Structure formats: C-alpha cells, structure tokens
C-alpha cells in the first residue's frame, strides 16, 4: 500500500510541467551504479506488524549493548551516567514548544534554554560566542572548515594525523563535492607533528583534535601563533566535552573555532545518535557562523526575553548570503545537555572530570603492566592508546567472550593500515568500577599469554 496521495495522472502532470519524461529523470544526478534497478533482493514486500517486530527484535539481539558488560569503548562516543532528573526535566511543558522558534512570543522556553546552552558552550571551550548547536562533531568540523574558507578566502584545509578518521572522512567528502582541498596527514599519536611547516598562502585552516584520537593532550598554542602569522585559522575539535572540566580550554590556547561532541553530557550512547554538535568561535567571526544564535532582549514592558538574533541559513536569508544549509539544531539533545550541565554546576563538572581522569590513570597502570602491552599516550584525560603484541581486533573479539568490551581497535579506525592494526584505543569513565578494570587486565593478560 502506498501512502502517497498523488495518482499516476497527478505525477505525470507534474513531470510534464517541469519537462521530464518519467520519475527516473529526477535522479540523473545520482550515479547509475548507485541506483537500484528494482526492489532490494531478498526483502519481502509485505510483512505483518508482529512479523516486523520479531525480525527487529532478532536483529537487536545480535548487538552487545555497552551497559551489558564492562565497557571501555570511546573514540568520540562515551558512556557516562545521566541522572534520571534530566529525562524528567526535558519533558516539562515549558520546553514542548513548536519545532522551530520563529515566533518568540510562544517559544520562550526553547529560546531561553538555547541561550543558556550557548553560554555553557562558550564557557566550556573558552570562546567568545557559540551557536545553538549542530548535528554532531563530525559535521560541525566540516562547517568550521567551510567557515574558515569564507573568512580567509582560501581553499585548503590541513588536517592533523591525530584527527578522528570519521571527522577526516566527513571533511574530505565535503571537500570533494564543495571544491576545497584537503591535506590530511598520516595517523600519528603526535597530532602536531608536521602541521606548522605545511601552512602556506593557500591554507585557510589547520584542524587539530584535543584530546586527540589517541587520547593524547597537546599544547597547540605555538601552532595557533603560526596560523595567525600565516593568515590561517586554527580549528580545534573536541570529541569528549567532559575533558573541558579538567584541561586548559582551546580558546585559551588561541583556537579561532572550536567544534565538539556534546554527547557526554546529558545524552546516553543511544546506538550512535542522535548526538549534539557544539560550535564556538571568536566574536569577530560571528556573522560567518552556521546555524542559529539566540540572544537576550527586553519586551515593550522592559521584561527580559529571548529571540533569534542570527539565522544564517538559506531558509532565513537570501541563498547567496547563507553561510550554511544546516537545517536545524539538535534541540532535544541540546536541552538534555543544558539540563545535565546545570545540575552539575561548575564544581560538579570539575569533580566528574577529575573522577574520569583518575579512573583512566588507574586503568592505564593496570593494562600497562601486562606483558607485551605498550602505553603510547603519555598525557591523557580519560582515554589512551595501547600497542598490543598482535592484531587488536582479534583481542577485542576474544575479550567480548570474557565479558569485556575492550576498546576500539586501530583496524576499525584505519582499515588496511598495517601500522595501526595492533593499536587499541581504550576509554574509562566514572561508570567503570575497579572490579571491571581488574577483569579487563586479567582477561587481557590471559589472552596475550602474559602475567600481571
């Protein structure tokens, strides 16, 4: 059964109006090899509701949820405790306003929390202004590069070898279709290596990650100075926003644009999404920022209120003036972020960050003591990289059977890269107990045939 109201005659009339012969002509921009010539093979055209439910339950049963065993997964998605109060507060009526706050008089709840969200992001990152959120860190990273291209009127981005490969691939995809050059360095725990000397007159920005994909914390203030001298911008991507409760914020080291993944605060892992991208910059670049920016004002009676101050997408302004075609902010996820961070407060997030670092330090000591294991990350927050004496993916698979999700193997991050095959990226958060860490260490030692 089709759920479209148009008849065959309706569709033919619409095609005739735009000068096309058939439906297929609407998809000429899609390469032929990417189009299906018929229904998906092996997929039933009809199933009852209960059959669909059973099928989906069977598929779900193949997964190993992070909460079902000791989990040390990270690499941009972190397991943290989200208080039950967060879910309660985000369902309050004040926030159940319309999808888009075009009419401020009926969307004050939405506008207020977005204003507070922006304030929180600016404070965390050490930047002067932040927008009302993006989809996730990877797409926010692309938006930062394109923003740098507009500001500098240049077209080449240099990407650190320690940038998350998913962020790198997202930037490369946009560069290929949007017409800007991307120079990505080979993966290396030393994320600043080789960056400054590659900056030239065509460079619009240099993109670094902090902490980097290997978990390493690096001082990029000298690189920021080199970028400024060359007329390029420094973009900093933060995959674990909780780290800002313990480390020097990027803004204090000279970053021009900061993007981040906000999932760690208020948002559970949730099968990989939806997440919430954070975007902050120096105030002088505010009119080149993508998305929306909410501001504070007063009404005719002098009462405090909130409005959309800047909306720089095509839906709001002339197409040629738009900075981005990002169509929304991750509203509910941003609200959860705001509520959780408000409940934590400055002292709470500092204590939570310290707890994460303490757990990671304890785990690094335990795993580093296993024979054949080398700790590669010399300065970290709650994530670090290990080099194992054999392929890390096989070790991860073996440890699942022992009740441990051991981390993310390098072969999954950099497929086909032999130098990364023995690499294992491990994260520890406040949710990991000492018993889980002991289990991880003993299981790893047993699997590698070593001793603690």
């Amino acid at each position: 059964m089709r759920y479209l109201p148009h008849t065959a005659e309706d569709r033919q009339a619409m095609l005739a109006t735009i000068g096309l012969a058939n439906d297929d002509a609407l998809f000429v921009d899609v390469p032929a090899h990417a189009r299906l010539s018929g229904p998906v093979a092996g997929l039933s055209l009809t199933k009852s509701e209960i059959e669909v439910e059973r099928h989906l339950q069977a598929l779900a049963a193949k997964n190993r949820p992070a909460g079902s065993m000791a989990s040390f997964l990270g690499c941009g998605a972190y397991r943290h405790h989200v208080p039950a109060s967060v879910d309660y507060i985000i369902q309050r009526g004040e926030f159940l306003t319309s999808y888009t706050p075009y009419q401020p008089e009926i969307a004050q709840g939405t506008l207020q929390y977005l204003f507070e969200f922006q304030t929180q992001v600016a404070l965390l990152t050490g930047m002067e202004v932040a927008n009302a959120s993006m989809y996730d860190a990877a797409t926010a990273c692309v938006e930062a590069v394109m923003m740098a291209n507009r500001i500098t009127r240049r077209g080449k981005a240099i990407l650190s070898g320690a940038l998350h490969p998913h962020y790198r691939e997202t930037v490369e995809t946009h560069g290929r279709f949007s017409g800007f050059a991307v120079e990505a360095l080979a993966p290396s725990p030393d994320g600043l290596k080789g960056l400054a000397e590659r900056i030239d007159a065509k460079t619009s920005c240099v993109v670094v990650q902090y902490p980097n994909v290997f978990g390493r914390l690096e001082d990029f203030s000298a690189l920021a100075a080199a970028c400024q001298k060359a007329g390029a911008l420094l973009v900093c991507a933060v995959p674990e926003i909780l780290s800002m409760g313990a480390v020097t914020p990027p803004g204090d080291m000279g970053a021009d644009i900061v993007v981040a993944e906000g999932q760690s605060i208020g948002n559970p892992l949730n099968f990989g999404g939806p997440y919430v991208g954070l975007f902050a910059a120096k105030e002088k670049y505010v009119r080149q920022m993508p998305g929306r920016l909410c501001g504070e004002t007063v009404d005719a009676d002098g009462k405090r209120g909130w409005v959309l101050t800047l909306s720089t997408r095509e839906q709001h302004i002339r197409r040629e003036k738009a900075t981005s075609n990002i169509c929304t902010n991750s509203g509910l996820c941003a609200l959860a972020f705001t509520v959780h961070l408000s409940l934590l407060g400055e002292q709470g997030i500092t204590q939570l960050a310290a707890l994460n670092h303490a757990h990671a330090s304890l785990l690094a000591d335990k795993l580093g003591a296993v024979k054949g294991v080398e700790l590669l990350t010399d300065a970290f927050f709650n994530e670090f990289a290990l080099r194992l004496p054999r392929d890390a993916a096989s070790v991860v698979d073996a440890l699942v059977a022992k009740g441990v999700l051991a981390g993310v193997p390098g072969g999954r991050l950099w497929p086909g890269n032999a130098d990364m095959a023995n690499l294992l990226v491990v994260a520890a958060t406040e949710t990991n107990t000492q018993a889980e860490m002991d289990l991880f260490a003993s299981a790893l030692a047993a699997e590698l045939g070593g001793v603690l």
Side-chain angles (χ1 to χ4, degrees):
M1 178 178 177
R2 293 178 63 88
Y3 293 92
L4 301 176
H6 305 108
T7 65
E9 292 75 18
D10 292 335
R11 292 194 292 275
Q12 197 56 49
M14 289 188 285
L15 288 168
T17 299
I18 60 178
L20 299 180
N22 51 51
D23 292 347
D24 290 340
L26 293 167
F27 304 100
V28 292
D29 293 328
V30 180
H33 71 270
R35 282 182 261 165
L36 293 174
S37 58
V40 178
L43 186 64
S44 174
L45 294 178
T46 59
K47 277 188 179 294
S48 68
E49 181 177 335
I50 193 169
E51 287 177 310
V52 173
E53 287 180 358
R54 287 170 179 165
H55 180 66
L56 293 177
Q57 287 169 354
L59 291 176
K62 295 181 179 182
N63 292 321
R64 294 291 188 113
S68 66
M69 62 179 70
S71 175
F72 299 91
L73 300 174
C75 280
Y78 303 90
R79 184 179 174 219
H80 292 288
H81 172 67
V82 179
S85 52
V86 173
D87 283 341
Y88 172 77
I89 293 172
I90 66 177
Q91 295 178 67
R92 286 181 61 90
E94 295 93 325
F95 304 118
L96 298 180
T97 50
S98 60
Y99 155 73
T100 302
Y102 292 133
Q103 295 175 276
E105 64 274 17
I106 60 171
Q108 284 297 291
T110 297
L111 289 165
Q112 180 176 352
Y113 85 70
L114 288 175
F115 177 83
E116 294 178 0
F117 169 86
Q118 292 168 180
T119 304
Q120 291 171 334
V121 172
L123 287 171
L124 283 173
T125 58
M127 301 302 288
E128 295 170 335
V129 62
N131 72 8
S133 87
M134 311 289 279
Y135 293 129
D136 54 35
T139 51
C141 189
V142 173
E143 293 284 356
V145 170
M146 294 192 292
M147 177 175 162
N149 292 344
R150 293 191 299 270
I151 292 169
T152 63
R153 292 183 171 85
R154 299 175 182 178
K156 185 179 79 171
I158 299 173
L159 311 185
S160 164
L163 180 67
H164 196 300
H166 294 175
Y167 298 9
R168 185 203 71 232
E169 290 166 7
T170 307
V171 173
E172 288 174 336
T173 298
H174 278 71
R176 185 160 64 251
F177 293 101
S178 299
F180 61 86
V182 178
E183 186 176 326
L185 277 65
S188 169
D190 185 352
L192 304 182
K193 184 179 180 180
L195 292 176
E197 49 266 37
R198 290 177 180 266
I199 302 172
D200 58 25
K202 296 180 181 179
T203 303
S204 66
C205 64
V206 175
V207 183
V208 297
Q209 183 170 311
Y210 175 74
N212 70 31
V213 72
F214 299 92
R216 191 166 187 241
L217 290 164
E218 298 172 297
D219 183 352
F220 52 80
S221 53
L223 178 62
C227 288
Q228 185 176 20
K229 184 177 179 180
L233 303 187
L234 181 65
V235 176
C236 179
V238 180
E240 168 60 294
I241 191 61
L242 182 59
S243 65
M244 297 297 100
V247 303
T248 302
D252 289 0
M253 288 191 280
D256 295 289
I257 305 172
V258 177
V259 298
E261 177 55 68
Q263 171 268 322
S264 289
I265 300 177
N267 292 276
L269 289 173
N270 203 30
F271 303 98
Y275 285 164
V276 53
L278 315 181
F279 197 107
K282 292 181 177 178
E283 188 171 3
K284 63 182 178 181
Y285 302 133
V286 66
R287 291 193 174 274
Q288 289 298 332
M289 286 177 64
R292 301 190 183 106
L293 193 145
C294 297
E296 181 183 346
T297 187
V298 293
D299 64 13
D301 298 323
K303 295 181 179 178
R304 189 185 188 197
W306 291 270
V307 294
L308 279 179
T309 300
L310 286 176
S311 297
T312 54
R313 62 184 176 129
E314 294 172 358
Q315 187 171 335
H316 298 94
I317 60 178
R318 294 199 307 275
R319 182 179 295 270
E320 66 274 13
K321 295 280 190 180
T323 62
S324 169
N325 193 34
I326 183 170
C327 293
T328 186
N329 61 280
S330 298
L332 185 62
C333 297
L335 173 58
F337 178 101
T338 302
V339 170
H340 191 182
L341 190 54
S342 298
L343 292 172
L344 284 170
E346 184 174 350
Q347 182 178 357
I349 193 172
T350 300
Q351 291 175 341
L352 182 58
L355 183 59
N356 271 247
H357 177 63
H359 279 206
S361 298
L362 179 60
L363 181 62
D365 288 341
K366 290 178 180 291
L367 300 182
V370 175
K371 184 179 179 180
V373 174
E374 178 188 1
L375 179 63
L376 298 180
T377 312
D378 55 359
F380 55 84
F381 170 59
N382 68 354
E383 190 167 29
F384 51 86
L386 303 172
R387 189 173 300 283
L388 307 184
R390 73 170 214 243
D391 179 72
S394 66
V395 175
V396 168
D397 289 342
L399 264 59
V400 168
K402 298 179 180 180
V404 178
L405 289 171
V408 180
R412 184 170 182 177
L413 293 171
W414 298 277
N417 188 324
D419 292 336
M420 297 290 114
N422 289 15
L423 189 90
L424 181 64
V425 181
V426 177
T429 72
E430 78 282 1
T431 64
N432 294 117
T433 66
Q434 183 154 336
E436 290 177 338
M437 298 182 204
D438 291 338
L439 173 62
F440 187 1
S442 61
L444 181 62
E447 181 61 28
L448 297 179
V451 293
L452 288 174

